[in-house]
Structure formats: structure tokens, C-alpha cells
Amino acid sequence: MDRRKFLVSAGLAGSLFSVGGLSSCASSSKLYGDQNFYINKGIYRIPKLKLSKDRIIKETVGLRPFRPSGPRIEKEMLDKKTIVHNYGHGGSGWSLSWGTGHLARNLVMEGTDRDIALLGCGTVGIATATLLQESGCQVTIYTKDVPPNVTSNLATGTWSPASRVCDRDIATADFRSQWETACRYSFKRMQMMLGVQDIVEWGDEYRIHSSVPRNTDGNGGHAIYQIEGLAPEWKTLNKRDHPFNAEMVTRRSNMIFNIPGYLNFHLNNFLLRGGKLIIQEINSLEDIDALPQQTVVNCTGLGAKAIFNDEELRPISGQLACLVPQSEITYKLITQGAYFITRKDGIYLGGNGIDGSWDTTPDRSLSEKWVDTLSEVMREMEG
Ligand SMILES: Cc1cc2nc3c(=O)[nH]c(=O)nc-3n(C[C@H](O)[C@H](O)[C@H](O)COP(=O)(O)OP(=O)(O)OC[C@H]3O[C@@H](n4cnc5c(N)ncnc54)[C@H](O)[C@@H]3O)c2cc1C
């Protein structure tokens, strides 16, 4: 049998039998248990993305609620009311929602009040409301909008707990430690959602470098902090182990949040457990004072700027272009100037952030540029 035929049949055998039974064969023929790969011509191939401008079915611009000193998780008194703040998560709100929700819950539980008003119904508000219920609180959400009309619906949806979470030069060591606690808590909680209606999944993520970066730790993407050993690390692949035409390719596994199903699932659970939801815009501190509850948790994201006059809080806008879903694509890819991620509801292209911009009008030419950039990567792929 020649080498190519052997590799092909070894690949088939690998998918039919357990790796354990073939372990000695596996080490000599490089059998991998990774279902995203199959062996052809001795290199590893992955399915290609279908890219064309007419496949763009939706474009959005969301505003990341950014605070240079980091999200505000603290208690303050407003006359006789206790306000617990939990807002300003930048590009990390999905990832940190359960962790900062847990910190906010601890602040609520320091008091004796268990009838809680919670402002906001994005990913942070829903996670915090759920945690408060789990601690025996009766929670009423007051919110201007519910999903899908919230910023949380306009996110990419990956585990990115340090993405635009603060300005490292301004945030304190105390914040770093608070971030780490939140990050660890969130990570653990997300693992409990695996297998629940696919709301959280793991997938491969490739980073394509056109030249070998000077700092080859494989990181970037605005990750300000890291916790070693918490999640799988980036690994540099050797040329035979990937199909891309690039100087350097790194890969890691990462979590994906299937945003519409995720928010729907948790909001339904909140209501099933007796939570109440009232559509109401809060325009001033007087509106908060008028709420019947004495303890109020503030998860209004960027909305907190006007209500609480937070001068630090500002938007970092981010555009996404959604392509027709392609269920065979299960990986994420990042290259210079563009990325795509696969979710149940579509393939999302993105890669920008405009500091201080309140403009939520999508720029078609940007979406088309991403299609062009990623088309080139796909064109040059082996296979
Ligand atoms: C393009 C883009 C990509 C992103 N990608 C990721 C990612 O991959 N991973 C990640 O972890 N994070 C990501 N983020 C960041 C994440 O989306 C945000 O940090 C997160 O959505 C913030 O959640 P939130 O619940 O605080 O805010 P929101 O979702 O904005 O929710 C705020 C809630 O408060 C309500 N509200 C606001 N003002 C008032 C008011 N005056 N009265 C009553 N109610 C009010 C709103 O109606 C809403 O219900 C991304 C963001 C963008 C824009």
C-alpha cells in the first residue's frame, strides 16, 4: 500500500474505531481523533466557508459599554435605597456575565432585603437575575427593551473575558483581582450549560498570521488579561497540520454562545421560576426612587451613562455582517483585519471597534471588505 492510500484508509479506520484500540498505529501514522479533520494527500483539511456578497443577510452595529477602569460592580446608597451596580463590561459582557452577576449577588445578599428590582434585560441582567433567584430572591426586571432589541444580541458570542474590558493603564490591581474572580466563576458556570439546547458550545479557533509575529504567544484580539491554565491555550501548528497558505497558524478551542437561543432559554427560565418582567424606561434617579423595591440592581449597560451620569462610560462600536448559516462549518477564523465565527443562526463576520462612536448605521463597504479578505484565505486553502 502506498503512503497516500495508507493515510486515507487509516483516516477511515480512525473514524470507525476507538483511538485506544489503534494507539500504536496512531502514533506512527499520525491519526487524530479530531472530527473536523480528515486525511487527504497527507494534509488536514477543513470545510470551506461559502463567501459572496449576496450571502450577507443581516448587518448590525452594537455599542460595547466601555469603562477605562473596568466594569462597575459596587454598592451605593440613593437616599434609603440600595443600588448595586453591574454594568460597563466592554467587549466582555457575555463572557463575564455570570461572574460579575455573582459578585453583584454577593453585594445584595449582604443586606436582608430579598424583594429585588433589577434594571436591564441584556446578558448581564438576565444572568444576575437568575443568580439572585437561585439565592431565594424575588426579582422584578424593569427594562426599556428585551432581546432581540438589546446590545447583547449584537455581539459575536465567544469566550473573550478580557476583550476591551478596561484600559490596563488605568484599571487598578483590585480590579484585576475582581476580574479574575468573575472570570473563573463565569467559566465554570458556562460548562454547566454544555449540552443544554446548544446554547454554549466548544469549537476550534484558527489565527492566520501572514508573517511570524514578533511576539509569538499567539494572543491578541485586545485580550488585556489572561489566566493561565483556565482555557485551552493557543498552539502553533506545523505546516502539515493545517490547510492554510500562511507563514504561521495557531489554533485553540474556544467557547461559542448561540446568542438568540441562549437569551431565550435563560429569560424563559427566569419567568418560569416566578420572575417578573416590566417594560419601563428609567429616565432619572427619581424613577428609581419611585420603584416599590428598596434594593435595585443596575444592569443597564450603556444606559447607565445617562441615568447615573457616569462620565467614564463610553461606547466602542462594533459592526457584524451575518451570512447564511452553514452547519458544516464549526470553526472560527481570525486573520489580519477580519474574522468569522459560526453560530446556529449564521456565520458572523466582524473585526472592528470605533472608540467613542454612537453611530449604529452599518457600513456596507466594511462588510464587503471582510468578505473579500476572508475569500482570499479560503481561495488559498488546500483542498
Ligand atoms: C460587535 C460586538 C461584539 C461583541 N462580542 C463579544 C464577545 O464575543 N464576547 C463577549 O463576552 N462580549 C462581546 N461583546 C460585548 C457584549 O455584547 C456586551 O458587553 C454586553 O452585551 C453587555 O451586556 P449588558 O447586559 O450589560 O448590556 P445590554 O445588552 O445593552 O443590556 C442593557 C439592558 O438595559 C436596558 N436599559 C438600558 N437603558 C435603560 C433605561 N434607561 N431604562 C430601562 N432599561 C434600560 C436595555 O433595554 C437592556 O435591556 C460584543 C459587543 C459588540 C458590540
Side-chain angles (χ1 to χ4, degrees):
M1 189 182 285
D2 69 21
R3 178 176 159 74
R4 182 168 171 268
K5 278 192 186 144
F6 172 73
L7 285 172
V8 171
S9 56
L12 283 172
S15 63
L16 290 172
F17 300 105
S18 75
V19 175
L22 289 167
S23 57
S24 59
C25 170
S27 57
S28 58
S29 67
K30 280 196 168 184
L31 257 188
Y32 285 75
D34 187 337
Q35 289 175 357
N36 284 328
F37 290 80
Y38 59 95
I39 298 174
N40 186 329
K41 298 184 213 157
I43 58 127
Y44 295 91
R45 293 174 61 205
I46 51 179
K48 285 191 180 186
L49 192 60
K50 292 177 193 162
L51 277 154
S52 60
K53 287 159 193 170
D54 61 342
R55 290 180 72 84
I56 300 174
I57 51 173
K58 183 173 65 174
E59 289 171 286
T60 58
V61 177
L63 305 179
R64 301 171 182 93
F66 177 73
R67 299 180 84 244
S69 64
R72 185 176 181 200
I73 322 293
E74 64 182 7
K75 196 160 37 172
E76 73 170 339
M77 295 307 291
L78 179 71
D79 247 344
K80 288 190 184 129
K81 295 219 175 188
T82 303
I83 313 289
V84 173
H85 294 291
N86 182 11
Y87 69 88
H89 294 67
S92 305
W94 272 90
S95 313
L96 293 177
S97 54
W98 295 91
T100 63
H102 171 63
L103 297 175
R105 169 178 61 178
N106 288 347
L107 294 175
V108 170
M109 300 309 283
E110 284 171 6
T112 52
D113 206 1
R114 296 294 174 257
D115 182 14
I116 311 297
L118 187 143
L119 314 181
C121 194
T123 193
V124 173
I126 293 172
T128 309
T130 302
L131 290 168
L132 285 166
Q133 281 183 323
E134 289 176 6
S135 293
C137 296
Q138 172 62 48
V139 184
T140 305
I141 294 180
Y142 298 87
T143 186
K144 185 159 62 91
D145 289 305
V146 290
N149 304 315
V150 294
T151 298
S152 298
N153 271 82
L154 309 180
T156 317
T158 46
W159 173 252
S160 60
S163 169
R164 297 177 168 112
V165 71
C166 66
D167 178 336
R168 199 177 8 202
D169 296 335
I170 289 172
T172 61
D174 280 352
F175 170 71
R176 171 70 176 78
S177 143
Q178 195 181 50
W179 172 84
E180 178 158 348
T181 306
C183 193
R184 287 186 185 280
Y185 188 93
S186 261
F187 186 86
K188 226 174 175 177
R189 184 78 191 208
M190 295 296 187
Q191 308 321 308
M192 294 175 198
M193 292 170 216
L194 292 171
V196 183
Q197 297 173 20
D198 295 334
I199 57 175
V200 177
E201 292 179 295
W202 281 87
D204 279 338
E205 189 171 320
Y206 291 90
R207 191 178 287 275
I208 313 284
H209 306 265
S210 52
S211 60
V212 177
R214 249 181 245 153
N215 171 4
T216 54
D217 64 0
N219 282 298
H222 311 281
I224 291 163
Y225 302 131
Q226 282 177 70
I227 302 176
E228 232 169 86
L230 183 68
E233 309 282 347
W234 287 102
K235 299 262 184 319
T236 303
L237 299 180
N238 77 50
K239 285 209 166 170
R240 282 179 62 83
D241 290 341
H242 67 78
F244 303 106
N245 180 18
E247 269 311 301
M248 183 176 159
V249 175
T250 52
R251 188 181 72 191
R252 70 172 178 183
S253 296
N254 198 8
M255 272 187 282
I256 293 158
F257 312 125
N258 283 306
I259 288 180
Y262 179 114
L263 290 175
N264 203 30
F265 174 86
H266 287 297
L267 190 51
N268 281 342
N269 265 6
F270 167 78
L271 296 170
L272 275 172
R273 289 172 183 163
K276 292 193 192 121
L277 189 143
I278 295 171
I279 303 291
Q280 180 181 332
E281 182 162 359
I282 304 289
N283 290 307
S284 62
L285 297 182
E286 286 70 36
D287 288 348
I288 293 179
D289 201 34
L291 298 176
Q293 292 83 4
Q294 294 309 305
T295 301
V296 179
V297 182
N298 170 30
C299 303
T300 51
L302 205 51
K305 185 169 184 65
I307 309 170
F308 292 94
N309 195 25
D310 183 337
E311 288 183 2
E312 232 197 280
L313 189 58
R314 64 176 197 252
I316 301 182
S317 72
Q319 179 165 326
L320 296 176
C322 175
L323 269 53
V324 178
Q326 221 184 311
S327 59
E328 74 277 20
I329 305 284
T330 56
Y331 60 98
K332 174 182 176 183
L333 186 148
I334 309 160
T335 188
Q336 187 115 37
Y339 67 76
F340 74 79
I341 176 179
T342 316
R343 293 198 332 229
K344 290 278 180 266
D345 57 323
I347 306 281
Y348 283 83
L349 275 49
N352 78 327
I354 308 175
D355 199 342
S357 173
W358 290 91
D359 189 355
T360 54
T361 318
D363 171 359
R364 178 75 186 186
S365 66
L366 187 58
S367 304
E368 296 191 353
K369 200 172 106 196
W370 292 333
V371 169
D372 288 341
T373 303
L374 293 165
S375 295
E376 204 176 316
V377 174
M378 292 293 133
R379 225 181 355 259
E380 291 183 347
M381 258 171 91
E382 295 258 7

